[in-house]
């Protein structure tokens, strides 16, 4: 349809403008100490997530052992 072509053209124009602006909007790399702190924070965060998931997951119960009555 006629409106679809216009929508596609407007989308392409907007995408081109965003690609042109992207390099200027990118923040500079943080210094080495800051990157190290970010990695440590990330590792600590994921460790806390893992611990939380282990605490929230119920442990499987061991299968009941058959007693004397089951052997007869």
């Amino acid at each position: 349809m006629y409106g679809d072509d216009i929508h596609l053209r407007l989308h392409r124009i907007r995408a081109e403008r965003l690609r042109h602006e992207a390099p200027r909007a990118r923040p500079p790399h943080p210094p080495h100490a800051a990157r190290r702190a970010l990695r440590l924070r990330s590792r600590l965060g994921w460790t806390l997530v893992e611990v939380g998931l282990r605490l929230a997951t119920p442990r499987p119960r061991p299968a009941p052992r058959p007693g004397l009555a089951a052997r007869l």
Side-chain angles (χ1 to χ4, degrees):
M1 288 190 86
Y2 179 72
D4 294 338
D5 294 338
I6 290 174
H7 176 76
L8 183 58
R9 180 67 185 144
L10 291 174
H11 175 70
R12 286 183 179 157
I13 290 170
R14 178 70 177 141
E16 184 179 322
R17 286 183 185 166
L18 288 173
R19 276 191 219 104
H20 181 70
E21 293 174 10
R24 288 181 280 145
R26 197 174 296 149
H29 291 293
H32 179 69
R35 285 193 308 262
R36 209 167 131 199
L38 285 173
R39 279 197 308 260
L40 179 63
R41 179 199 259 167
S42 177
R43 188 187 310 165
L44 177 64
W46 282 112
T47 302
L48 290 173
V49 167
E50 183 180 357
V51 169
L53 288 173
R54 287 180 186 217
L55 290 173
T57 305
R59 290 186 177 166
R61 293 183 180 177
R65 294 182 181 172
L68 182 60
R71 292 184 199 160
L72 297 177

